[in-house]
Amino acid sequence: MHKQKIAFEFSVFDSLEELSSEDRSLLQTAIAARKNAYAPYSNFQVGAAVLMENGKVVIGNNQENACYPSGLCAERVAIFQAGAIYPGMAVKAIAITATSKDYVVKEAVAPCGNCRQVISEYEQKQESPIPILLMGEVGKIIKCDAVADILPLAFGSSFLKE
Ligand code: THU
């Protein structure tokens, strides 16, 4: 038996101004997308923006449901829509941000496990890393270089064949 360790580095920015103009613009689009979230149950409004290889940006926001598990997170709304509009096209980056009607979200919001799995599928398919930008309403911004970093030992299609 031996132990193995997985470590990863990520970048932390103090403000939007510190980001590259491409990252800042993507995050600003995600901020704008928060407004149209349908989140009457949690009051937690998440916006996501997916930058495609052709420069187009596809947005999403969380869509809740009275039958709670039937709702969908902003990230999956956005990336599934990107797959539907631009099938087979690589994703260059994703930005995620959240606000609440009840309090100020001060920490960078990280995608849930289901969303990491879904984004991981696209990352594995395109065989290139998808950087993820994370932000709350205020506070520091985190940039992860790849979904694989935040979903170590990920499941994928390779497990479904010999
Ligand atoms: N939510 C997202 O849209 N993305 C995340 O990364 C975390 C959670 C949504 C799901 C639900 O509508 C609300 O936030 C509270 O969990």
Side-chain angles (χ1 to χ4, degrees):
M1 191 279 271
H2 70 282
K3 297 267 190 188
Q4 280 185 224
K5 188 174 180 176
I6 298 175
F8 84 103
E9 280 187 338
F10 55 94
S11 310
V12 182
F13 301 86
D14 286 330
S15 68
L16 280 164
E17 287 67 45
E18 264 190 39
L19 296 173
S20 69
S21 59
E22 186 175 87
D23 285 353
R24 184 166 53 247
S25 160
L26 191 63
L27 205 36
Q28 277 163 341
T29 303
I31 290 170
R34 291 185 316 214
K35 277 196 283 293
N36 292 336
Y38 175 63
Y41 305 105
S42 70
N43 280 342
F44 192 70
Q45 297 179 290
V46 187
V50 178
L51 176 62
M52 307 304 297
E53 198 162 53
N54 66 356
K56 300 282 187 196
V57 175
V58 179
I59 62 109
N61 37 48
N62 50 328
Q63 298 294 318
E64 296 186 349
N65 193 281
C67 175
Y68 290 8
S70 299
L72 201 61
C73 294
E75 297 90 319
R76 275 176 286 166
V77 169
I79 201 155
F80 285 151
Q81 185 175 200
I85 300 173
Y86 303 111
M89 189 182 291
V91 171
K92 271 182 84 179
I94 301 181
I96 303 158
T97 174
T99 186
S100 169
K101 289 190 169 159
D102 303 326
Y103 62 96
V104 178
V105 180
K106 297 196 183 88
E107 268 186 68
V109 171
C112 76
N114 283 313
C115 288
R116 291 178 201 209
Q117 180 65 34
V118 166
I119 302 166
S120 169
E121 176 84 18
Y122 289 80
E123 188 170 87
Q124 292 181 42
K125 183 154 63 92
Q126 71 185 41
E127 295 179 344
S128 65
I130 299 177
I132 310 196
L133 289 152
L134 309 172
M135 201 185 106
E137 193 178 342
V138 295
K140 294 192 190 301
I141 296 155
I142 287 176
K143 184 176 185 180
C144 302
D145 298 327
V147 181
D149 287 344
I150 57 169
L151 189 65
L153 306 178
F155 185 76
S157 62
S158 65
F159 288 96
L160 300 177
K161 50 187 182 260
E162 206 176 332

